[in-house]
Amino acid sequence: MSVKREQVLIEALPYLREFYDSIMVIKIGGSIMSDREVLDTFVQDLVLLRYVGIHPVVVHGGGPEISEKMARFGKKSVFVGGLRVTDEETLEIARMVLLGNINSSLVSLIGKHGGKGIGLSGKDGQLIVARKKAPIVVAGEEAPIDLGWVGEVVRVNPEIIMITAGKGYIPVISPIAVDGEGNNLNVNADTAAGVIAIALGAKKLISVTDVEGVKLRPEDPNTVISSFRISDFRRMVDEKVITGGMIPKVEACVRAVEGGVQSAHIVDGRRPHALLLELFTDTGVGTMIERG
Ligand SMILES: Nc1ncnc2c1ncn2[C@@H]1O[C@H](COP(=O)(O)OP(=O)(O)OP(=O)(O)O)[C@@H](O)[C@H]1O
Ligand SMILES: [Mg+2]
C-alpha cells in the first residue's frame, strides 16, 4: 500500500517540475456546481495546485443556476449556437447569479481550504472588454437572430490577474464584460477562459464540465474522443456531433491552442479530483485539443 503511494507521488514528479511557476486557466462549468462534494474536491485541487507552485486562474460559468432563476421569474432560457440570448432582465439575473452567488461561494471555499481566493469580473481593471455581438444567421431562420447583451471579446487586460496571482492569490473570474460605454455584456465562460488563457500565456486551458469529454455520439460515453485536431472542429459542428454548450467550449479550446496555449483539455468534473488526474498522472482524462 505504502509503495503505491510513493509511486503515485513519483509519477507526479516530471509534471510538478514541468508545471512549476506556470499559469493554468481552469474553467469550471456551472453544470457541476450543484454538487457540494464535487465542488469541495475541485477547490481542494485548486489549492493544492497553488501550493505546488502552479498559478491557477479560475473562470466560472453558471448556466443551470441562471436558467433556474430565470424560470422562477417566469422567463424561458433560449440558446442560439450554444449562447444564451440575453435581454435586459436576463443580464441582471446573470449578474446576480454569477457575481453575487457563484463567484463569492468559490472564493469562500478557497479560503476554507487554506488558499487565498479573490473574486473578479471582466469589469475589474477592464479585464474583459467586449462589444455587443452582431446578430447571427441561423439555418432555417429568415432574419439573423439578435442575441441581446451577449458580448464578443475585443480586448483582455490581464494586469489585475498578474498582480493578484503573482502575490499568491487564486483569481476567480465571472465572465461579465464591459464595453466602451460602461455597459455590461454576458460572455460565455469558456470563451472568456480561452481569451484569458491566451492573454496570460497560460500553459494549459482546462475546461471542467459535466460530460466525460467530447463524444462522437453524445448518448454513448464509450465514444469519447481522447484527442482531436483543430482541423476537425468545423466538420464536427457541421455534422452536429458538437452541439449546444460544447460549441463555444471547443471553439475556445481551439482558439487558445492557436493563440499559443500549449494544450486545451475538456475533463469530467463529476469525477472527483479530475484536475489532479489530468495534470499529474500519465493517463490523462477527457479530450485534448492539439495543434494541427
Ligand atoms: N459531442 C458532444 N460531446 C459531449 N457533450 C456534448 C456534445 N455536444 C454537446 N454536448 C453538450 O455540452 C454540454 C456541456 O456544455 P454546457 O455549456 O452545458 O456546460 P458547461 O460549459 O460545463 O457549464 P456552463 O455553461 O454553465 O459554464 C454537455 O452536458 C453536453 O450535453
Ligand atoms: Mg457552457
Side-chain angles (χ1 to χ4, degrees):
M1 187 64 196
S2 74
V3 173
K4 249 193 158 164
R5 285 194 190 172
E6 287 150 22
Q7 275 171 352
V8 169
L9 286 165
I10 275 306
E11 187 182 323
L13 178 59
Y15 301 104
L16 290 166
R17 284 171 53 185
E18 188 189 344
F19 301 152
Y20 187 79
D21 207 22
S22 63
I23 299 170
M24 301 283 178
V25 173
I26 296 155
K27 188 270 173 165
I28 175 170
S31 56
I32 62 155
M33 286 195 226
S34 53
D35 188 329
R36 222 25 232 198
E37 214 171 304
V38 160
L39 202 55
D40 228 46
T41 57
F42 170 81
V43 171
Q44 264 182 323
D45 290 0
L46 287 179
V47 173
L48 186 145
L49 296 191
R50 185 59 207 94
Y51 279 106
V52 297
I54 292 170
H55 307 286
V57 173
V58 181
V59 180
H60 65 84
E65 195 178 330
I66 296 170
S67 297
E68 184 209 307
K69 290 274 183 313
M70 285 176 67
R72 239 191 267 171
F73 287 105
K75 288 180 74 75
K76 204 168 163 281
S77 292
V78 180
F79 291 89
V80 177
L83 302 174
R84 180 186 298 275
V85 177
T86 307
D87 65 9
E88 202 73 52
E89 266 180 340
T90 304
L91 181 65
E92 196 172 330
I93 294 168
R95 283 177 47 186
M96 265 164 45
V97 168
L98 294 171
L99 296 165
N101 270 0
I102 297 180
N103 192 288
S104 75
S105 309
L106 282 169
V107 169
S108 306
L109 264 183
I110 291 171
K112 175 186 154 191
H113 288 292
K116 299 192 291 183
I118 177 146
L120 298 170
S121 80
K123 299 189 279 182
D124 291 288
Q126 301 246 308
L127 176 54
I128 310 171
V129 179
R131 63 168 165 251
K132 196 174 170 306
K133 201 174 164 66
I136 57 176
V137 179
V138 176
E141 297 284 333
E142 268 176 32
I145 298 178
D146 183 9
L147 301 179
W149 292 108
V150 169
E152 182 174 79
V153 178
V154 175
R155 199 170 67 243
V156 175
N157 299 306
E159 188 188 53
I160 187 65
I161 301 178
M162 300 307 281
I163 292 171
T164 50
K167 291 278 182 198
Y169 288 87
I170 301 176
V172 178
I173 302 158
S174 285
I176 296 287
V178 273
D179 69 7
E181 270 81 59
N183 295 307
N184 290 287
L185 290 157
N186 184 17
V187 176
N188 175 274
D190 278 284
T191 309
V195 292
I196 287 171
I198 295 170
L200 290 170
K203 188 131 200 154
K204 288 175 185 280
L205 166 64
I206 304 174
S207 188
V208 183
T209 186
D210 67 345
V211 278
E212 297 84 355
V214 181
K215 291 178 279 185
L216 273 177
R217 284 193 306 280
E219 67 287 353
D220 184 354
N222 296 319
T223 63
V224 172
I225 309 163
S226 61
S227 82
F228 73 90
R229 294 182 181 282
I230 290 177
S231 47
D232 293 339
F233 172 60
R234 280 289 146 216
R235 182 181 50 80
M236 289 172 80
V237 173
D238 290 342
E239 290 172 357
K240 301 211 163 35
V241 171
I242 294 173
T243 59
M246 197 48 84
I247 299 174
K249 194 182 298 299
V250 177
E251 187 163 40
C253 290
V254 166
R255 290 232 174 117
V257 172
E258 283 174 341
V261 176
Q262 203 176 75
S263 60
H265 305 258
I266 294 169
V267 304
D268 189 352
R270 298 168 305 177
R271 184 170 174 179
H273 302 296
L275 260 185
L276 297 188
L277 289 172
E278 176 53 51
L279 287 170
F280 300 124
T281 65
D282 295 338
T283 43
V285 289
T287 299
M288 179 167 97
I289 285 109
E290 297 177 302
R291 219 168 296 212

